[in-house]
Amino acid sequence: MAGHSDNDLGLPTFSDPVKVAIVIAPYYTKISNAQLASARGVLDRAGVQHETIEVPGSLEIPAAVALAHRMSNFDGYVALGCVIRGRTSHYDVVVNESARGLMLLGLQGVAAGNGIITVENMEQAEERADADRLDTAGGAAVAALHLIALARRFGGAKKGVGFTQDIQLAGDSEGPTTA
Ligand SMILES: Nc1c(NC[C@H](O)[C@H](O)[C@H](O)CO)[nH]c(=O)[nH]c1=O
Ligand SMILES: CC(=O)[C@@H](O)COP(=O)(O)O
């Protein structure tokens, strides 16, 4: 089990191939190496194909997910990063806007697990990146897989979730991008 949860949903199984993008901001090498190892381990155990996309910082992760979702054929995404509070309010910008971006994509039907660690110091980051302790990266990979399974269970739902409008992206002839 990842994080503080005492509930383990296990790994979903898939009858058709699944392709996942790990989108990582390797801001702190030791942390990102641990995150990658855990997330890749979960995806390998699930029998899922995956590839890794790197961006400079966590603030770029939602845009990278949106670009990949629009221009490639991934079934889901695992967002990995580590944001450690500094001496200004920039921490709040990075944390809040990366989370908001991923949530908005999720509400548009993008299957994304958020494994961006948001902490006060490196000690807290190490505890959350450690696969044998809080394992937030593994948890994000499991979350993405469950959202992919949900999308397939609903048959790749095409209509919106009711309170968001699918965004018609410029140049999209087939209509809004959905999962
Ligand atoms: N301080 C951290 C950052 N900051 C960089 C931003 O994410 C972004 O790349 C920059 O503002 C340019 O747009 N990013 C992290 O992932 N972690 C940090 O601790
Ligand atoms: C999360 C950040 O952007 C932060 O690390 C930057 O540090 P500072 O707020 O001291 O500029």
Side-chain angles (χ1 to χ4, degrees):
M1 279 166 286
H4 300 282
S5 173
D6 63 2
N7 186 13
D8 184 353
L9 295 182
L11 286 179
T13 58
F14 300 96
S15 53
D16 296 317
V18 173
K19 182 180 173 186
V20 169
I22 298 172
V23 181
I24 185 166
Y27 209 82
Y28 300 101
T29 304
K30 178 180 177 183
I31 299 300
S32 56
N33 286 344
Q35 290 176 303
L36 268 179
S38 179
R40 286 170 172 168
V42 167
L43 298 176
D44 289 341
R45 285 194 295 277
V48 164
Q49 179 190 348
H50 56 85
E51 65 181 82
T52 300
I53 299 166
E54 290 189 343
V55 291
S58 297
L59 207 50
E60 284 74 50
I61 292 177
V65 170
L67 282 168
H69 194 66
R70 178 156 182 261
M71 306 178 82
S72 188
N73 62 343
F74 297 107
D75 297 287
Y77 304 86
V78 182
L80 300 177
C82 180
V83 190
I84 300 178
R85 188 185 299 276
R87 290 169 295 175
T88 72
S89 60
H90 194 234
Y91 169 88
D92 300 299
V93 171
V94 177
V95 163
N96 294 334
E97 296 311 312
S98 60
R100 189 199 316 263
L102 290 171
M103 184 56 66
L104 289 173
L105 287 165
L107 294 177
Q108 294 294 327
V110 175
N114 186 348
I116 300 174
I117 295 171
T118 60
V119 291
E120 302 300 319
N121 53 57
M122 184 57 75
E123 180 185 0
Q124 290 178 348
E126 289 170 352
E127 183 183 18
R128 284 149 185 79
D130 187 339
D132 297 321
R133 290 193 282 176
L134 291 180
D135 192 23
T136 56
V142 171
L145 292 174
H146 279 279
L147 288 174
I148 294 167
L150 205 56
R152 295 201 174 177
R153 175 178 155 192
F154 294 149
K158 298 303 181 193
K159 64 186 172 78
V161 292
F163 49 84
T164 63
Q165 297 300 317
D166 283 340
I167 299 168
Q168 178 79 31
L169 298 173
D172 271 1
S173 56
E174 310 82 40
T177 300
T178 57

